[in-house]
């Protein structure tokens, strides 16, 4: 018999970070030990306070069956308490918060909440692939908004044509921004809210990197400026090195959260109760967050200093775990990434075009950039910095 994938599946390429893993495997097969800075998966051990809470909760929940689809009351209350302490925003745990299995599943499925065939979603380029892939699986189309360095990696909302605004159902924002490390000022959030309200567009804010920053002023949440028409996606993956636990949440406008819950309860189950208890422990402790933030700062300074020493432009980020590095003038991003795979360097990164897409003017904002994920130890980062000095550009 013929096994034929759906048109949706046939129309998409490989997942960018799966392609990075493939490169690592190829190098390893050649007997080369690569330094993998391609995928944003922190290698730090999950904090002891979180692991201990999880271990103890496994026994307490030995026979509790399926967890709540929307999150236990205690987890949602912990999210509300953290949001109040961190952002000064009061949330109703019952109507304005829903747990997710990490932020990826929530982001991917969000298009199903509001997108009908032929609708548009405004998506940043470069950006997290599930914004686009989730829209595609919901049978919508994407209008790619370029994030360019000369505009502070903020989308130019004024340049979006009126006919596009009329068809748009969702606008995706992501600050602190992956991959650029840019932060958005309050006036941008205020402008985005006016834009979304004026055009009846749901404003979806991916804030998974809100706790990894290197500036005196803490990054803002969109919820600090409005709840009407707004939903925020959060995760403990980067904040607390819990990528493998798969725990996050959405919060915001109760009407939007209610629709999200309806979709979620039909497409997956809830986060395990013992994982939610680990999440509660993580949200109740800021010491490990401060420690990891300081470690990321040290790695950023080591690595970015080596890039500058190697002759590349200074692209030191203000936030996140990434360096969005401009490549040498006249060099292709994929060619530069391939050059870094030479045995004497053997550093794996992600070419910018792999996580960005062509925009209305025919250009790709990822051209001329590569992304490094500072996920390894300080010592491994120091070794990567040392290898960079061997580059002959």
């Amino acid at each position: 018999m013929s096994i034929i994938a759906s048109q949706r599946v046939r129309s998409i390429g490989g997942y960018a970070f799966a392609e990075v893993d493939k490169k690592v495997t190829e190098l390893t097969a050649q007997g080369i030990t690569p330094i993998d800075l391609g995928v944003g998966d922190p290698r730090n051990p999950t904090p002891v306070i979180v692991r201990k809470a999880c271990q103890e909760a496994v026994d307490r929940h030995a026979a509790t069956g399926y967890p709540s689809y929307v999150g236990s009351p205690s987890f949602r209350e912990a999210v509300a308490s953290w949001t109040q302490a961190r952002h000064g925003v009061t949330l109703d745990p019952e109507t304005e918060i829903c747990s997710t299995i990490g932020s990826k599943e929530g982001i991917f499925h969000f298009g199903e909440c509001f997108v009908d065939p032929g609708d548009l979603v405004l998506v940043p380029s470069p950006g997290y692939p599930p914004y686009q892939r989730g829209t595609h699986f919901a049978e919508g189309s994407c209008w790619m908004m370029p994030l360019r360095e000369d505009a502070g990696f903020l989308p130019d909302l004024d340049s979006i044509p009126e006919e596009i605004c009329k068809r748009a159902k969702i606008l995706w924002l992501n600050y602190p921004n992956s991959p650029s490390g840019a932060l958005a000022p309050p006036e941008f959030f205020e402008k985005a809210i006016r834009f979304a309200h004026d055009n009846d567009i749901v404003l979806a804010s991916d804030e998974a990197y809100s706790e990894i920053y290197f500036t005196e002023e803490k990054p803002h949440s969109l919820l600090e400026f409005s709840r009407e028409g707004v939903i925020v996606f959060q995760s403990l993956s980067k904040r607390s090195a819990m990528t493998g636990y798969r725990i996050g949440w959405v919060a915001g406008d109760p009407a939007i959260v209610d629709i999200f819950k309806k979709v979620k309860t039909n497409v997956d189950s809830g986060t395990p109760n013992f994982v939610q208890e680990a999440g509660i422990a993580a949200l109740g402790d800021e010491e490990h967050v401060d420690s990891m933030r300081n470690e990321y700062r040290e790695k950023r300074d080591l690595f970015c200093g080596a890039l500058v020493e190697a002759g590349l432009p200074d692209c030191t980020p203000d936030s996140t775990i990434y360096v969005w590095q401009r490549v040498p003038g006249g060099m292709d991003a994929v060619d530069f990434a391939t050059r870094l795979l030479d045995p004497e360097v053997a550093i794996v990164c992600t070419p910018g075009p792999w996580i960005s897409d062509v925009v209305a003017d025919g250009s790709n904002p990822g051209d001329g950039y590569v992304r490094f994920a500072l996920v390894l130890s300080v010592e491994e980062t120091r070794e990567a910095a040392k290898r960079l000095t061997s580059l002959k550009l």
Side-chain angles (χ1 to χ4, degrees), residues 125-167:
S125 177
Y128 189 36
Y131 307 147
Q132 190 173 3
R133 299 291 168 84
T135 300
H136 178 76
F137 272 68
E139 299 186 66
S141 299
C142 295
W143 174 268
M144 307 306 296
M145 305 180 295
L147 304 186
R148 303 193 191 278
E149 190 171 356
D150 58 4
F153 297 106
L154 300 171
D156 181 2
L157 301 178
D158 294 331
S159 71
I160 301 174
E162 184 178 351
E163 62 271 20
I164 298 300
C165 294
K166 289 179 179 178
R167 294 174 56 198

Side-chain angles (χ1 to χ4, degrees), residues 325-345:
Q325 179 63 51
R326 274 186 285 137
V327 304
M331 198 170 189
D332 177 81
V334 175
D335 290 343
F336 180 74
T338 302
R339 169 71 181 84
L340 293 182
L341 297 177
D342 286 352
E344 71 272 17
V345 183

Side-chain angles (χ1 to χ4, degrees), residues 37-243:
L37 304 177
V39 180
D41 185 4
R43 307 296 172 81
N44 307 61
T46 303
V48 173
I49 189 173
V50 177
R51 284 182 279 145
K52 184 177 179 181
C54 188
Q55 290 163 357
E56 294 173 352
V58 168
D59 289 333
R60 281 199 302 276
H61 295 281
T64 53
Y66 287 117
S68 164
Y69 287 103
V70 301
S72 68
S74 55
F75 176 71
R76 286 181 279 123
E77 287 164 6
V79 169
S81 294
W82 179 84
T83 305
Q84 176 64 55
R86 171 66 173 83
H87 296 291
V89 174
T90 301
L91 294 171
D92 182 342
E94 186 64 29
T95 63
E96 297 178 324
I97 299 170
C98 177
S99 71
T100 59
I101 305 175
S103 61
K104 182 178 180 180
E105 68 90 357
I107 288 170
F108 183 89
H109 290 136
F110 190 62
E112 301 289 353
C113 297
F114 296 100
V115 175
D116 289 317
D119 287 340
L120 290 177
V121 174
L122 307 177
V123 175
S125 177
Y128 189 36
Y131 307 147
Q132 190 173 3
R133 299 291 168 84
T135 300
H136 178 76
F137 272 68
E139 299 186 66
S141 299
C142 295
W143 174 268
M144 307 306 296
M145 305 180 295
L147 304 186
R148 303 193 191 278
E149 190 171 356
D150 58 4
F153 297 106
L154 300 171
D156 181 2
L157 301 178
D158 294 331
S159 71
I160 301 174
E162 184 178 351
E163 62 271 20
I164 298 300
C165 294
K166 289 179 179 178
R167 294 174 56 198
K169 293 298 181 69
I170 301 169
L171 165 60
W172 280 104
L173 299 178
N174 169 221
Y175 296 97
N177 181 252
S178 168
S180 72
L183 298 172
E187 55 267 26
F188 173 77
F189 283 127
E190 292 165 351
K191 180 174 184 175
I193 289 165
R194 290 195 300 271
F195 172 86
H197 287 177
D198 289 346
N199 291 284
D200 289 325
I201 297 172
V202 171
L203 199 48
S205 181
D206 176 4
E207 300 179 4
Y209 294 93
S210 68
E211 305 313 291
I212 310 298
Y213 58 89
F214 314 112
T215 54
E216 289 189 15
E217 184 178 0
K218 296 179 180 180
H220 295 281
S221 170
L222 194 61
L223 291 174
E224 296 173 30
F225 303 92
S226 179
R227 199 165 323 186
E228 181 185 354
V230 168
I231 188 166
V232 161
F233 291 76
Q234 260 289 8
S235 169
L236 293 174
S237 290
K238 306 305 190 295
R239 175 195 182 273
S240 299
M242 294 177 68
T243 53

Side-chain angles (χ1 to χ4, degrees), residues 278-334:
I280 292 168
L283 287 168
D285 180 70
E286 293 297 327
E287 186 175 340
H288 75 274
V289 184
D290 293 338
S291 177
M292 282 196 287
R293 187 184 302 119
N294 290 335
E295 184 174 314
Y296 278 122
R297 182 194 299 273
E298 182 178 359
K299 293 188 290 186
R300 177 200 68 161
D301 292 347
L302 269 172
F303 195 75
C304 290
L307 288 166
V308 172
E309 187 178 341
L312 278 76
D314 186 356
C315 295
T316 304
D318 286 332
S319 66
T320 77
I321 63 175
Y322 304 114
V323 178
W324 186 236
Q325 179 63 51
R326 274 186 285 137
V327 304
M331 198 170 189
D332 177 81
V334 175

